[in-house]
Amino acid sequence: MNVVVVESPAKAKTINKYLGPGYKVLASFGHVRDLPAKDGSVLPDEDFEMLWEVDSASAKRIKDIADAVKDSDGLILATDPDREGEAISWHVLDVLKKKRVLGDKPVQRVVFNAITKSAVLEAMRNPRDIDTPLVDAYLARRALDYLVGFNLSPVLWRKLPGARSAGRVQSVALRLVCDREAEIERFVSEEYWNISALLKTPRGDEFEARLVSAEGKRLPPRAVGNGEEASNLRTLLEGAAYRVESVEAKPTKRNPSPPFTTSTLQQAASSKLGFSASRTMQVAQKLYEGIDIGGETVGLITYMRTDGVQMAPEAIDAARKAVAEQFGARYVPEKARLYSTKAKNAQEAHEAIRPTSFDRTPDQVKRYLDPDQLKLYDLVWKRGIASQMASAEIERTTVEIEADNGGRKAGLRATGSVIRFDGFIAAYTDQKEDGEQSDDGDEDGRLPEINAQEKLAKQKVNATQHFTEPPPRYSEASLIKKMEELGIGRPSTYAATLATLRDREYIVIDKRKLIPEAKGRLVTAFLESFFTRYVEYDFTADLEEKLDKISAGELDWKQVLRDFWKDFFAQIEDTKELRVTNVLDALNEELAPLVFPKREDGSDPRICQVCGTGKLSLKLGKFGAFVGCSNYPECNFTRQLSADNGSDAEAAASNEPQSLGKDPHTGEEITLRSGRFGPYVQRGDGKEAKRSSLPKGWTPASIDHEKAVALLSLPRDIGQHPESGKMISAGLGRYGPFLLHDGGYANLETVEDVFSIGLNRAVTVIADKASKGPGGRARGTPAALKTLGDHPDGGPITVRDGKYGPYVNWGKVNATLPKGKAADSVTMEEALVLIAEKAGKTPAKGGKAKAPAKAKTSKAAKSSESKTGEAKTAKPKAKAAAKPKAAAKAKKA
């Protein structure tokens, strides 16, 4: 019997069916080891030795694998076919070697690009050794990310309170978003006019032609810059006679795009389906690992982390055959199409993303897939088959027209396109982002019959005023596209990069556009001012290229780290001499449009409008940055630093309370104000005045008298509980909206519930809270972020965000997510495993957890590791971590 190790239980289940009784397939559940999240896990002074740690959950899985290997004939490592997959195999093998359970048993590494029976069996027939250069590239990347994070973060904490490093690649992605925002802020709109004429042919057909020249002068787009010019040209056209100078019909061809890569799949899923990058990868992972199709579990798409654009030869043949069967022989090109990538630094180590079988059409598998899975599979199938279809044949017609007004002449042009043969468009059409021209071959519409030299009748002349617009904010799709163009990051990192920026509140996503938060702007400005090199696009791309060369065996990974660390550590040391005033001066200049928004009256935005003499500047406090007056404490003006430089910022800049009316009960004036911690409403004046901060999601512009009165009336008494006779009240607290009864709290879903919930529902919410576990006086269970489905034993499984991070909940069982696991990436299979592991630790009557099973396992794991020497050596190394000079200096910084 051979032991096969894969990452996920879903993958293990599928492969087990393919291999039969001679194999035992076990899941590692991703990485089994990681660098401890503390200083000293990578030691530059010891030639970048890395101290790995196995957490308790992984220790149990490793024990299961080790126990199985003891009684096996050999070990087969079958993790994913990329750098991370290779690293997982290396970690598993290294731990097993230290546990001395392998002996002389053979160890093989197999990879497959699709989870189908034929692909898996073919991989088993062609094993190899672990790819050492690929592991080296993983180690280098992991060490680089760790060194940047754990050495740059202390600098940020010290010089910029409330900020954290976004990470090596994330910082550069954040800079892209912030640079675009700064570009939008600097943008000066310009006026321009479009002039066109609606004309009629002798046959009575109307069409529109646009002005392209006047009196011998060519007029490029936006050449007409003001109303006076437009009026003169319009007068010329109003009195002109029109004649067709030429009609040119030119046939063109449009070729299909290649099959999907990771980034193009994320872009298309965003544009066409509205999926986030992380959602796309979650759904793709499920399609790759396997779906139950009529009793057989089979992977529907190939591996989804790739920058390759070429399909395997057998897949190309299958696609061409499917094209002939589904669309007809004319849609099959004479030769198979071959593609090569244009992306910078693309490795093309794997196939493009494609269906594992083109015979499985979306219609055939529809009943086995949930709506999101079907949408994504449909996208992959159509793009894959379109990539091997004939070109679309398009006829593009250009008509040149002369307008003559008493010798004053102008030229007009009309264009139109007609699809003569749809070709690949019959299966798939691209959809562009941000208002780019669509790819449907008919962007100019059709023209009626027009003949050269014939006269045309003028129907109407149009002169329309326009203003240039700033560049659009990035969407997830367009940011991924830009990162790929610049060579920043890799296919497997895009979704995680965006998730990190969002989780750390450096960006928000509004209507699918990425908007940098003030905190993100501050971090970027600081890094650009004092760590310029490390957020440069070319520097990051060059470093990615070096990592690729390591994976190809062309560079030594330790030397790459030495070169990087030498300059980076020197830069860290230099920041020790930085004074906070230096930092603030630099940020004031770099972020001037954000910190000092223009005022409607044209006055200097840097002069305090309260005292009239003080200068406004960024200030740093315990909770981050804010704007304050230089005359403090005589002038106590403060304003929250906001990414919104519109009317709210202008109003806040004046620091003048906005009157909302009188309180109907006390007669005191209610005002809307802005303070250091954001906008709030206040009733009356003085120290005893009642105040209430605006809840999350409420903007100053949305606050009226009614809302202000409601906020200031909190907490709100709802009524007496029918059983206890004690009052139930609703309010807003640090953790959001809540109910309070007899000293116990229960969370409400929305802020609106605080003002609208009635007694009956309040009693139900409190009863639900009490039924969900002991500690009835504790704060209620946080609202569910998402529901994964029902547990096999009944009851919903939900994902929630608690005080100590995200977790999955089933009834009374709460299981914390593994470190680094994003809440929105949890699958049902992963949740079931976490719940099963946690089930042995359900609370006893006294409220304390029973954990005999875990304690026993942990002890056994410790004992096992102690025998191998791993635990014994790790302890002194961890102690030594504080000793090396470089680590100590970085910690000091």
Side-chain angles (χ1 to χ4, degrees):
M1 187 268 293
N2 286 304
V3 171
V4 181
V5 177
V6 296
E7 293 97 334
S8 73
K11 191 173 172 183
K13 183 180 176 182
T14 305
I15 293 170
N16 220 3
K17 290 181 180 178
Y18 296 155
L19 297 180
Y23 298 86
K24 184 173 184 178
V25 186
L26 298 173
S28 71
F29 290 80
H31 279 284
V32 297
R33 295 192 305 193
D34 200 2
L35 297 171
K38 60 184 181 184
D39 195 16
S41 296
V42 177
L43 307 175
D45 285 359
E46 295 184 26
D47 204 19
F48 302 96
E49 182 181 354
M50 302 168 77
L51 307 178
W52 301 100
E53 178 181 74
V54 179
D55 63 29
S56 56
S58 295
K60 183 181 183 304
R61 291 161 194 151
I62 281 291
K63 183 180 183 301
D64 292 341
I65 294 171
D67 290 345
V69 168
K70 285 178 187 176
D71 301 323
S72 72
D73 298 319
L75 173 66
I76 299 172
L77 301 165
T79 48
D80 286 341
D82 59 3
R83 182 184 59 248
E84 290 298 312
E86 206 72 21
I88 291 170
S89 285
W90 174 80
H91 276 299
V92 170
L93 181 58
D94 193 50
V95 173
L96 293 178
K97 282 179 178 177
K98 289 177 178 176
K99 288 182 175 292
R100 299 177 184 173
V101 297
L102 283 169
D104 58 356
K105 292 182 174 70
V107 178
Q108 297 175 324
R109 170 84 169 110
V110 300
V111 292
F112 34 82
N113 198 44
I115 302 180
T116 61
K117 189 170 185 178
S118 59
V120 171
L121 294 180
E122 178 64 22
M124 290 294 179
R125 289 191 288 269
N126 295 281
R128 61 168 171 81
D129 294 329
I130 282 184
D131 188 332
T132 302
L134 208 55
V135 174
D136 289 346
Y138 157 79
L139 294 172
R141 184 181 291 274
R142 191 69 190 87
L144 281 169
D145 291 343
Y146 174 90
L147 290 170
V148 170
F150 273 85
N151 287 281
L152 198 50
S153 291
V155 175
L156 282 167
W157 296 333
R158 189 175 176 182
K159 308 297 182 185
L160 209 61
R164 292 188 291 171
S165 169
R168 182 178 62 85
V169 175
Q170 292 92 333
S171 294
V172 185
L174 178 60
R175 182 190 167 189
L176 278 169
V177 177
C178 293
D179 281 358
R180 176 58 59 88
E181 196 71 16
E183 194 178 348
I184 293 169
E185 289 169 348
R186 292 192 302 268
F187 181 81
V188 178
S189 184
E190 294 180 359
E191 178 186 8
Y192 69 96
W193 291 73
N194 284 338
I195 300 172
S196 63
L198 183 65
L199 305 172
K200 182 187 285 189
T201 69
R203 288 156 296 284
D205 299 315
E206 293 183 348
F207 67 97
E208 190 170 33
R210 67 184 185 277
L211 184 68
V212 293
S213 65
E215 299 183 286
K217 182 182 177 184
R218 183 173 166 271
L219 298 175
R222 297 195 290 273
V224 182
N226 57 61
E228 185 179 347
E229 287 180 60
S231 179
N232 290 335
L233 292 169
R234 182 174 184 169
T235 301
L236 187 159
L237 295 180
E238 287 284 7
Y242 295 83
R243 179 179 61 85
V244 178
E245 282 193 317
S246 65
V247 178
E248 182 184 9
K250 183 180 179 182
T252 61
K253 287 189 176 183
R254 179 165 293 144
N255 297 322
S257 299
F260 284 127
T261 62
T262 302
S263 67
T264 55
L265 177 64
Q266 291 171 351
Q267 291 168 47
S270 174
S271 301
K272 290 176 175 284
L273 309 178
F275 287 5
S276 67
S278 59
R279 181 60 183 151
T280 299
M281 296 310 287
Q282 290 166 24
V283 178
Q285 181 83 33
K286 183 63 180 172
L287 293 175
Y288 163 70
E289 289 185 343
I291 301 290
D292 189 340
I293 306 289
E296 179 189 2
T297 303
V298 62
L300 293 184
I301 65 171
T302 54
Y303 192 54
M304 64 287 158
R305 291 185 179 89
T306 176
D307 48 20
V309 291
Q310 187 63 37
M311 295 193 295
E314 61 271 19
I316 292 175
D317 293 340
R320 288 167 62 82
K321 181 184 174 186
V323 170
E325 291 173 352
Q326 308 228 10
F327 296 92
R330 191 184 172 192
Y331 288 83
V332 183
E334 186 179 337
K335 294 181 180 178
R337 294 187 181 278
L338 301 177
Y339 295 96
S340 59
T341 187
K342 296 178 182 178
K344 188 176 181 181
N345 292 345
Q347 300 173 74
E348 298 192 83
H350 312 297
E351 266 194 277
I353 304 168
R354 62 167 176 85
T356 53
S357 172
F358 283 100
D359 291 334
R360 290 192 199 93
T361 65
D363 283 343
Q364 289 175 336
V365 299
K366 183 177 182 178
R367 63 183 183 275
Y368 304 112
L369 305 178
D370 67 32
D372 283 0
Q373 291 169 354
L374 178 61
K375 289 175 186 175
L376 198 67
Y377 181 71
D378 183 70
L379 208 59
V380 171
W381 189 90
K382 287 179 176 177
R383 174 86 166 225
I385 203 164
S387 71
Q388 289 300 322
M389 290 176 71
S391 302
E393 296 174 8
I394 299 165
E395 184 178 86
R396 185 175 179 82
T397 303
T398 303
V399 181
E400 301 291 349
I401 301 161
E402 181 187 73
D404 189 338
N405 185 348
R408 294 180 66 199
K409 295 184 178 181
L412 296 93
R413 180 177 297 148
T415 57
S417 297
V418 178
I419 299 175
R420 296 299 183 191
F421 172 61
D422 55 2
F424 77 91
I425 293 174
Y428 181 87
T429 55
D430 287 329
Q431 184 170 326
K432 302 294 184 181
E433 283 266 318
D434 300 326
E436 293 178 28
Q437 182 174 287
S438 66
D439 198 16
D440 58 8
D442 197 27
E443 60 268 22
D444 295 316
R446 297 189 65 164
L447 290 174
E449 179 187 343
I450 304 173
N451 300 312
Q453 303 308 315
E454 68 184 5
K455 293 182 179 179
L456 303 169
K458 180 208 74 179
Q459 299 297 105
K460 185 180 181 183
V461 176
N462 296 311
T464 55
Q465 184 186 36
H466 300 272
F467 292 91
T468 55
E469 294 185 355
R473 288 179 170 125
Y474 285 110
S475 64
E476 284 199 7
S478 58
L479 181 63
I480 288 169
K481 183 178 181 181
K482 187 65 176 178
M483 290 172 67
E484 186 179 38
E485 288 173 0
L486 294 172
I488 297 167
R490 281 294 171 267
S492 60
T493 66
Y494 296 137
T497 295
L498 290 166
T500 298
L501 297 180
R502 190 172 59 247
D503 293 345
R504 294 191 177 177
E505 299 180 343
Y506 286 154
I507 63 170
V508 293
I509 300 179
D510 182 30
K511 297 177 182 175
R512 294 174 56 199
K513 296 300 180 183
L514 308 184
I515 305 170
E517 291 276 41
K519 188 193 298 184
R521 299 285 298 273
L522 282 169
V523 168
T524 296
F526 177 83
L527 294 177
E528 284 192 89
S529 298
F530 303 105
F531 288 87
T532 310
R533 187 183 182 202
Y534 301 99
V535 287
E536 284 178 351
Y537 305 135
D538 288 345
F539 174 80
T540 306
D542 289 344
L543 195 53
E544 292 286 352
E545 191 171 359
K546 288 178 181 177
L547 292 168
D548 290 343
K549 287 183 177 180
I550 292 170
S551 65
E554 297 172 11
L555 280 180
D556 176 63
W557 71 284
K558 290 284 185 76
Q559 189 56 50
V560 170
L561 290 178
R562 292 182 201 114
D563 294 343
F564 174 87
W565 178 250
K566 179 183 175 184
D567 294 334
F568 182 69
F569 182 67
Q571 189 85 32
I572 293 286
E573 289 289 282
D574 287 346
T575 60
K576 289 181 179 179
E577 305 304 319
L578 272 179
R579 290 172 170 264
V580 172
T581 52
N582 302 141
V583 174
L584 294 178
D585 288 345
L587 297 183
N588 280 332
E589 293 304 316
E590 188 74 28
L591 297 175
L594 175 70
V595 183
F596 313 111
K598 290 181 180 178
R599 293 174 180 164
E600 290 182 359
D601 61 5
S603 62
D604 186 349
R606 298 198 181 201
I607 297 297
C608 178
Q609 284 185 299
V610 174
C611 67
T613 58
K615 280 200 165 185
L616 298 181
S617 171
L618 272 175
K619 306 286 183 183
L620 297 176
K622 182 180 178 182
F623 299 101
F626 62 97
V627 179
C629 179
S630 60
N631 284 342
Y632 179 84
E634 286 77 17
C635 176
N636 62 0
F637 167 77
T638 58
R639 169 167 53 83
Q640 184 185 33
L641 187 63
S642 170
D644 179 6
N645 286 329
S647 58
D648 291 347
E650 177 66 27
S654 68
N655 203 39
E656 293 179 3
Q658 299 176 47
S659 177
L660 298 173
K662 302 283 186 181
D663 186 284
H665 304 293
T666 67
E668 294 174 294
E669 187 175 22
I670 297 175
T671 52
L672 173 65
R673 303 171 181 240
S674 181
R676 180 172 164 186
F677 303 111
Y680 63 96
V681 290
Q682 178 174 312
R683 182 177 64 211
D685 289 304
K687 292 182 179 180
E688 303 303 319
K690 178 75 182 285
R691 298 176 180 86
S692 177
S693 296
L694 302 196
K696 190 173 182 180
W698 287 27
T699 62
S702 70
I703 300 300
D704 55 19
H705 179 262
E706 184 181 353
K707 283 188 174 181
V709 169
L711 275 175
L712 291 167
S713 68
L714 296 179
R716 177 177 76 92
D717 287 342
I718 297 170
Q720 292 180 334
H721 195 286
E723 294 178 5
S724 68
K726 296 183 178 179
M727 182 60 68
I728 301 173
S729 58
L732 292 169
R734 181 179 176 187
Y735 300 101
F738 65 85
L739 290 175
L740 174 63
H741 168 249
D742 194 19
Y745 292 88
N747 288 84
L748 291 172
E749 293 290 334
T750 67
V751 172
E752 284 68 26
D753 286 342
V754 173
F755 306 105
S756 62
I757 191 169
L759 182 60
N760 289 340
R761 187 173 160 228
V763 171
T764 302
V765 171
I766 290 168
D768 287 345
K769 160 66 176 59
S771 70
K772 286 181 179 177
R777 298 177 70 84
R779 181 165 292 277
T781 303
L785 300 177
K786 69 173 181 177
T787 301
L788 299 176
D790 287 336
H791 193 281
D793 295 336
I797 296 177
T798 57
V799 183
R800 301 171 184 269
D801 194 11
K803 184 177 179 182
Y804 301 105
Y807 63 93
V808 291
N809 166 261
W810 173 58
K812 297 181 181 180
V813 180
N814 295 325
T816 305
L817 300 189
K819 185 180 173 184
K821 184 71 177 175
D824 61 357
S825 69
V826 185
T827 64
M828 173 63 98
E829 290 79 6
E830 292 168 334
L832 286 171
V833 171
L834 291 169
I835 288 167
E837 289 179 355
K838 187 74 174 179
K841 297 179 276 182
T842 49
K845 283 184 181 178
K848 294 184 178 179
K850 291 180 180 178
K854 181 177 179 187
K856 196 172 180 182
T857 303
S858 301
K859 197 170 180 182
K862 275 188 178 177
S863 173
S864 174
E865 287 192 356
S866 180
K867 288 174 187 174
T868 65
E870 188 178 21
K872 288 180 180 177
T873 55
K875 200 169 184 181
K877 281 179 185 173
K879 253 185 186 178
K883 292 181 181 178
K885 187 178 177 185
K889 284 183 177 179
K891 192 171 184 181
K892 218 173 185 181

